[in-house]
Amino acid sequence: MTIQTRRERERAERERLIVTAARELAEAEGWDAVTTRRLADEIEYSQPVLYSHFKGKGAIMAAVAVQGCADMAVELRAARTAAGSPREALAAVGAAYTSFALRRPALYDAMFTLAVDLPFATPEAPAPLQDAFEQLLLAVRPIAADGEDTALLTETYWAGLHGLVTLMRSGRLPEEAHERRLALLIGHFVPPGTD
């Protein structure tokens, strides 16, 4: 093993450490608690070391968002592939999306609520963002009508899920009615009996 390879491995490990510490701190105390000074203390490196990896908190949040999208894609894929019919797949993906957002609120915020410097809905979007959207698209595609813009339909389904999650998390919609709301959303995409 060369010195350069070892250094690259150590650098990648420090980046993982920074991202993990930011994620854990944000989940425990919120994004306001995540500062470069606090992260430096958490990982026991100096602030200049953090800045040698990331330009600042925004870049760290973007890295957390990318990692979160990778995690979400895994959960959405598992839900979609375990389902039987297209309707069940759409419902399972909606339930998995909601579960992810409720279990990891700070991570979800970095991914879809807070401003981060990431390209979305473009070919330049990082692969994990594209993969998460692809899992939604693969659940929506089987129910799309011939000639319908599947990507646009997927964006609409995603917007519906995001709206439900955001309103529920903020206390504007009671959580106990979420499953009924999700069923209504699914029903507008896949009328009963059209599986």
Side-chain angles (χ1 to χ4, degrees):
M1 180 177 311
T2 67
I3 291 174
Q4 183 176 0
T5 304
R6 188 185 80 226
R7 285 184 182 150
E8 289 169 358
R9 191 179 69 245
E10 288 170 351
R11 181 173 178 77
E13 182 55 36
R14 275 192 309 271
E15 284 183 11
R16 277 191 295 276
L17 185 63
I18 294 165
V19 169
T20 299
R23 224 174 129 159
E24 290 173 355
L25 187 56
E27 289 296 351
E29 300 179 32
W31 280 105
D32 287 342
V34 179
T35 64
T36 54
R37 180 180 304 265
R38 183 87 184 268
L39 285 174
D41 290 343
E42 291 285 326
I43 65 169
E44 299 178 343
Y45 282 99
S46 67
Q47 281 183 284
V49 169
L50 259 73
Y51 285 116
S52 74
H53 291 275
F54 297 99
K55 290 180 183 176
K57 180 178 175 176
I60 294 168
M61 287 175 59
V64 168
V66 169
Q67 186 183 71
C69 285
D71 294 350
M72 178 181 266
V74 168
E75 292 186 28
L76 296 180
R77 181 180 298 107
R80 181 182 55 77
T81 58
S85 70
R87 180 186 192 87
E88 290 169 351
L90 204 59
V93 164
Y97 184 97
T98 301
S99 174
F100 184 95
L102 295 178
R103 280 190 341 269
R104 299 173 174 180
L107 180 58
Y108 186 84
D109 286 344
M111 294 163 58
F112 301 126
T113 304
L114 301 172
V116 292
D117 188 21
L118 287 173
F120 282 86
T122 68
E124 293 78 31
L129 278 66
Q130 293 183 31
D131 190 21
F133 184 78
E134 179 76 7
Q135 297 314 309
L136 293 170
L137 184 112
L138 290 171
V140 169
R141 182 177 287 147
I143 58 97
D146 288 338
E148 192 166 21
D149 185 335
T150 307
L152 193 60
L153 186 62
T154 303
E155 289 171 355
T156 304
Y157 177 62
W158 176 25
L161 291 174
H162 177 71
L164 289 173
V165 163
T166 301
L167 291 169
M168 190 170 53
R169 283 182 52 209
S170 67
R172 280 139 177 102
L173 292 176
E175 192 171 335
E176 56 272 5
H178 177 69
E179 287 186 28
R180 289 193 347 239
R181 281 187 216 97
L182 186 57
L184 286 170
L185 179 64
I186 302 300
H188 282 283
F189 281 85
V190 188
T194 59
D195 287 338

